[in-house]
Amino acid sequence: MLLTRTKLNLILNNLRVSIPKDLEKELLDRYGKLVTDDEGHIFEFTEQDICEQLRKKLSP
């Protein structure tokens, strides 16, 4: 799953949280494009991966 602004807003609405713009930009930069490993294989993040990273960043 590639994270788009629309999908991020949907996740945030479901979690009933709001995040600062800089964190939103960081998440979109990191999860909004395909990632390849050293061998050239494409790794795609799941919605669970994204939600877990968001949870870690929001927890004190």
Side-chain angles (χ1 to χ4, degrees), residues 4-6 9-11 17 21-22 29 34 38 40 45 48:
T4 62
R5 189 171 305 275
T6 305
N9 287 335
L10 182 63
I11 292 169
V17 297
K21 291 292 181 186
D22 58 334
D29 287 343
L34 293 176
D38 295 335
F45 294 103
Q48 182 179 357

Side-chain angles (χ1 to χ4, degrees), residues 30-55:
R30 180 171 176 128
Y31 301 108
K33 46 191 144 175
L34 293 176
V35 178
T36 57
D37 62 8
D38 295 335
E39 297 176 0
H41 299 108
I42 296 175
F43 179 78
E44 191 170 336
F45 294 103
T46 64
E47 185 175 356
Q48 182 179 357
D49 294 330
I50 295 168
C51 289
E52 183 64 21
Q53 292 302 316
L54 181 60
R55 183 193 65 77

Side-chain angles (χ1 to χ4, degrees), residues 12-23:
L12 294 174
N13 286 336
N14 289 338
L15 294 175
R16 297 183 181 168
V17 297
S18 61
I19 59 174
K21 291 292 181 186
D22 58 334
L23 180 56

